[in-house]
Structures are given as structure tokens and as C-alpha cells.
Amino acid sequence: MNRGSENPAIYRTLKDVLERQAEVVSVWFEPDAIQKRYLAAEIEPQRVVPPTGPESPQLEVHWKLTPPHDEFRIDYADPNVGFHCGWHQDEDHTDLGAAHFQYQTAWMETPHYEGVVFEAASPPKLLWECCGELFEDVVPNYTTER
Amino acid sequence: MSDEPARSWTDSLSAAERVEAVALTVSEPRTANWIASEAEVAHETATKYLKRLTDDGKLSSEERGQQTTYEPDLVGQYLIEMRELYEGHSPDELAASLEDMNEQIRTWKTEYDVETPNELRASLVRTEDATDERERRQAARKWDHLETRRRLVEDALRLYDRFPGERHSTSA
């Protein structure tokens, strides 16, 4: 593929991955399906562990295919408990490596950052890996402890 | 543990779905072995589905010595996207979104006093503020994306002139 040309299959494929997560209610393009700047997903508050609410947490996925390393941001925010976290592979915090994980709880003054290495190499599998970690480890562990 | 929802990549997507998802999102040509490993399928299974995707025009393949590599077929992907824009949106919706994108691009041109995303990237060397640098980099990336989407929408709008009265489905 020519460098710089965009592959519209990327967001179509990632939308499908998000729609298959048990916690996800709906997925849409922002600001609309014509511009397709990024993906947003509504999370069912009662399906996450521990359950939250009344507002729905939201997931956002930005992705750009830039060989050899894609640029992406996968962000989760729960407004009910003031928690947000994300996996980012961009030019921020390059001292931590190519990609980093960050999170901030309501009782933290600044976000915590740490380097992260993924097993997956392709965008759909990598998003799958992050969703698994988010709902099985991150949310249960970071939204209950103090 | 049988009441646990399916969480694994291999339980939730079929072999064919995994091969297609991986193959359509590679950013550089990849071998069947690479795609098979990432999709967690046998080499023969990957080869079978990759051939089908190539026959359908979704992937293009290239012989490189002993190896065949696969990548998304740009024309095939363009046609899928064009059909989606044309069938999923009215001309008014497309035109309104086009105007939004043009307005956003005009705003960047004025705000950063540049004409193209690459000129904006070139301006990064002149800024010493980390926040400003980050914003400029992100704006350049969004700008690239909007330029691509803008061309697609312009092409979709031309289909209405070419095939007046042919559009079958309409968006809600």
C-alpha cells in the first residue's frame, strides 16, 4: 500500500472488534460515518466489574496505519467514578518505549504512566488484547482499590 | 467457568473472520505465515482464505521469490468505501460533511499559517512548547485523514451526477 494512503478497512474492522465485546452496547464513528475520524463505543454500566452507573462509560479508538509502527490511542473513561485509562502508541512518552499504558483514578492528582509491550502485532488482535485487559484486570483492580 | 462470556480472540471470531481482519489491516505486505500466526490458524487455512479474499478483490498478492505477500487492495477498498458512502448517505448529508471538513481545514490553515499538513509538520522545529508541538502533530495527522475523506466524499457526490435516480437505499 502506498505510504500515506489511508486504508478504510481499518476502522471497519476495529468497529467489528468493539461490537463483539460483551460490555459494549453500541459503536459509532465520530463525528459521523462520513468523516470517520475515530470510533466511540458506549459501555453498559451494569456489565462491567464492578458494576458502575448511572452514566455509561465510553471507549474511544483512534488508529492510523503508519508502517512500521501504527499510531493509536485506545481510551476508556468512566465518569461515575472519575476513572480513565488508555493504551497509547504515539510520540508522547517515548522514554517508556514505543507504547505506554496510562491511568488516573479520582484520588490521583496526576496520571500514572508505564511502558507496555503487546503480544499482538495486528490492529484487530491488539484491540482485542486491550479490551480483555481493560475489562478483566484494569477496571476491576483500579476502580475498587484505594 | 462455563457461564463466563467468550473473551478469547479465537473463540469469538471464526478462522475466516480472523484471517480477514488481520489481512485487511496490515500496513505493509505480509506473508501467509505472518497472517496465519497472528490469526492463530494453520498455514493451509490462511492460504485458503487469503486466496478467496484476493479473488474477491479485497486483497492483492505479490510473488516475491519463494514467497507470496498480501496487502489490502486499494482499488477494492476504495470501491467498498464508495458504495458505503453512496448508499448510506444522502447527497445533502455528504455535502454538509464536506463543508464541515473544508471549514476545519481552513481553520488549521489560518491558525497555523500553513497550506498543507506537511508544512504544519515542518513548523514543529520552530516550536519549543511541548503542548503546542503535540497539538500541531495531532492536527497534521487529522488533516491528512480529512484530506483523504474529502476526496472520497467528492467522488461519492459525483456518482449522483453520473447515475441520476439510480440510488436504491436511503439512510434513515
Side-chain angles (χ1 to χ4, degrees):
Chain A
M1 218 158 54
N2 298 329
R3 205 181 164 85
S5 61
E6 293 207 22
N7 174 7
I10 180 76
Y11 276 140
R12 201 177 302 126
T13 306
L14 296 180
K15 184 168 184 281
D16 180 54
V17 166
L18 288 175
E19 281 169 345
R20 289 169 190 260
Q21 306 302 315
E23 297 82 1
V24 167
V25 183
S26 62
V27 188
W28 63 94
F29 292 103
E30 285 286 353
D32 57 43
I34 300 170
Q35 295 189 39
K36 290 189 177 175
R37 284 160 81 167
Y38 62 94
L39 284 167
E42 181 190 342
I43 308 301
E44 164 56 51
Q46 294 302 307
R47 282 187 216 152
V48 299
V49 180
T52 183
E55 289 184 62
S56 297
Q58 192 163 317
L59 249 176
E60 281 185 14
V61 177
H62 294 71
W63 210 287
K64 186 167 171 63
L65 295 170
T66 49
H69 300 295
D70 294 348
E71 286 180 32
F72 63 82
R73 296 207 309 275
I74 300 164
D75 288 298
Y76 173 83
D78 181 349
N80 304 289
V81 294
F83 175 74
H84 53 86
C85 68
W87 288 264
H88 296 181
Q89 182 160 290
D90 52 21
E91 291 179 49
D92 292 337
H93 305 287
T94 46
D95 51 315
L96 298 172
H100 67 273
F101 171 70
Q102 66 182 69
Y103 71 93
Q104 185 169 14
T105 59
W107 54 86
M108 289 165 63
E109 282 185 13
T110 55
H112 171 78
Y113 302 93
E114 60 194 41
V116 62
V117 176
F118 300 103
E119 273 181 41
S122 66
K125 195 178 184 183
L126 207 154
L127 179 58
W128 198 280
E129 189 180 325
C130 288
C131 285
E133 196 168 328
L134 173 69
F135 294 117
E136 287 174 354
D137 299 321
V138 173
V139 171
N141 289 328
Y142 294 132
T143 61
T144 48
E145 284 173 14
R146 218 223 121 115
Chain B
M1 297 296 276
S2 57
D3 58 346
E4 289 282 305
R7 176 103 267 169
S8 84
W9 164 248
T10 48
D11 286 345
S12 305
L13 281 83
S14 69
E17 287 169 336
R18 297 198 301 277
V19 170
E20 179 164 357
V22 170
L24 287 183
T25 54
V26 298
S27 56
E28 49 194 326
R30 295 289 188 181
T31 61
N33 267 342
W34 191 93
I35 295 166
S37 158
E38 191 68 8
E40 295 184 42
V41 300
H43 177 81
E44 296 70 29
T45 311
T47 309
K48 180 179 73 176
Y49 292 127
L50 289 169
K51 181 175 186 310
R52 190 184 298 171
L53 290 163
T54 307
D55 291 344
D56 289 347
K58 290 182 173 178
L59 293 181
S60 60
S61 62
E62 192 185 341
E63 303 288 333
R64 293 189 179 190
Q66 299 291 315
Q67 285 190 320
T68 305
T69 58
Y70 300 86
E71 63 183 319
D73 184 277
L74 284 185
V75 175
Q77 293 306 319
Y78 169 86
L79 293 173
I80 292 169
E81 196 66 13
M82 199 47 53
R83 181 169 279 277
E84 196 180 294
L85 284 172
Y86 178 67
E87 293 188 342
H89 306 277
S90 70
D92 286 349
E93 285 172 346
L94 292 175
S97 198
L98 191 61
E99 187 44 48
D100 269 2
M101 289 189 266
N102 287 337
E103 181 59 36
Q104 177 61 67
I105 289 170
R106 272 197 296 274
T107 305
W108 283 320
K109 284 184 179 178
T110 310
E111 186 177 347
Y112 297 114
D113 192 24
V114 291
E115 285 300 311
T116 66
N118 279 338
E119 278 184 34
L120 179 52
R121 285 192 182 88
S123 76
L124 286 172
V125 296
R126 295 194 294 274
T127 176
E128 287 178 5
D129 179 68
T131 307
D132 181 46
E133 186 183 320
R134 187 166 188 266
E135 282 172 4
R136 282 171 188 254
R137 210 186 299 119
Q138 287 187 354
R141 188 170 57 220
K142 289 180 194 165
W143 191 340
D144 278 337
H145 177 78
L146 284 196
E147 290 281 11
T148 308
R149 298 305 299 176
R150 185 163 76 160
R151 282 194 293 273
L152 287 168
V153 173
E154 284 168 352
D155 289 354
L157 278 167
R158 275 187 209 107
L159 287 177
Y160 287 96
D161 299 331
R162 188 171 176 91
F163 304 105
E166 283 295 310
R167 189 164 162 270
H168 297 298
S169 57
T170 52
S171 58

